[in-house]
Amino acid sequence: MLKTVSLIVPFYNEQSAITIFADKIIPVLEKIPEIGWKIVCIDDGSSDATLAQLLDLSQRDPRFRILELSRNFGKEAALTAGLDAADSDAVVIIDADLQDPPEVIFQMVKAWREGAEVVLGRRVDRSTDSTLKRKTAAWFYELHSKISHIQIPENVGDFRLMDRCVVDALKRLPERQRFMKGLFAWVGFRTVTVDYARLPRSAGTTKFSGFSLWNFALEGFTSFSTIPIRLWTYLGTMGALCALVYGLFIIIRTILWGNPVPGYASLFAAITLFSSVQIISIGMLGEYIGRIYMETKQRPIYVLRKTYN
Ligand code: UDP
Ligand code: MG
């Protein structure tokens, strides 16, 4: 029987990239034998001509299926919408800007046919990303693997193929705050990696600023580890022990040599240090409580305005 594979592509203000995307992806897909392709495009609340262009595509080519979100929900939500809508035997997630070369899909499908359930695209050459972006990404992976139980593979983005069974497993994860890289790693399954070089953007500009990447990293840590809040218990205990020892030292010193009333500076330093440590730890607690709060609302991850095709 003919196997079906859905491409899942999130679009946010990508009007300049759409034509290039369609022109390049279609010939690649058609070269892969015995697969029925569907292309699920998610318009993530774009404010430019993205939706109009996508609709135009879908009218000319029935393989394009368009999901229109009611506003910008972010890439993770857009991907979730795509995964929910896909009904094929496997899905391939790919960016609209063709930074992930479509030719790699060949190898992905091949590995899938050979029995892999997840085929990851790993970027071996990230020279198109800035040094700062690469460095901070490396730190993120290192720290994340240290403080959480799951291992997020390094240099692996969302570009991947997933079998039906993986998609079904992902759909069973109910969290609203979706750190996809972590969720992908959490579900596991038989995984194979293919390497590729990340290309420059085909057109347009990146949608992720430095600050949104920082928030993204924070999301990654707090979604998969409670060490950041547990840390304070240990720090607090250590601080208390030090304070106890110092207290004993002061008592003994006062008994032996009397009280010469020094120590304004050390007192001031200790107070400011420990009060700021307390504020940081309260902030850390707040990060988690905020997430609990968002989860308890049980709001949907995205809202669809309309589906086409
Ligand atoms: N994207 C999205 N919603 C957003 C931000 C981005 O759907 O809120 C899409 C975007 O259109 C692109 C993909 O996510 O297809 C990756 O975005 P981008 O290329 O800007 O990220 P980068 O490659 O710079 O990390
Ligand atoms: Mg990109």
Side-chain angles (χ1 to χ4, degrees), residues 119-262:
V119 189
L120 303 177
R122 182 170 54 197
R123 308 154 182 172
V124 280
D125 173 14
R126 286 186 72 161
S127 52
T128 56
D129 284 335
S130 68
T131 325
L132 184 71
K133 193 167 175 177
R134 271 181 285 161
K135 262 252 128 21
T136 48
W139 289 336
F140 169 78
Y141 287 115
E142 200 183 317
L143 190 60
H144 197 282
S145 70
K146 281 210 181 104
I147 68 170
S148 80
H149 293 299
I150 55 152
Q151 298 290 314
I152 297 181
E154 197 165 340
N155 288 329
V156 166
D158 295 319
F159 185 35
R160 64 185 59 220
L161 180 147
M162 291 185 291
D163 187 81
R164 180 81 255 155
C165 59
V166 184
V167 178
D168 287 341
L170 278 173
K171 280 169 130 174
R172 286 178 48 213
L173 302 183
E175 51 241 82
R176 313 284 127 167
Q177 315 222 331
R178 301 186 80 78
F179 181 68
M180 283 299 216
K181 277 180 206 236
L183 300 182
F184 289 149
W186 187 89
V187 294
F189 289 99
R190 222 178 302 134
T191 305
V192 166
T193 309
V194 294
D195 292 342
Y196 71 98
R198 192 153 160 91
L199 306 172
R201 240 179 183 277
S202 66
T205 51
T206 176
K207 308 294 179 289
F208 291 95
S209 64
F211 194 62
S212 62
L213 283 173
W214 161 254
N215 282 328
F216 190 55
L218 212 58
E219 190 71 54
F221 290 134
T222 51
S223 303
F224 285 90
S225 171
T226 49
I227 285 185
I229 34 174
R230 229 189 289 152
L231 187 74
W232 301 102
T233 318
Y234 300 114
L235 279 181
T237 315
M238 260 156 57
L241 279 176
C242 293
L244 215 67
V245 171
Y246 186 58
L248 280 175
F249 166 71
I250 292 177
I251 292 170
I252 293 166
R253 192 182 60 179
T254 314
I255 292 170
L256 292 182
W257 291 290
N259 187 2
V261 200

Side-chain angles (χ1 to χ4, degrees), residues 95 97 99 198 201:
D95 282 356
D97 57 10
Q99 283 196 282
R198 192 153 160 91
R201 240 179 183 277

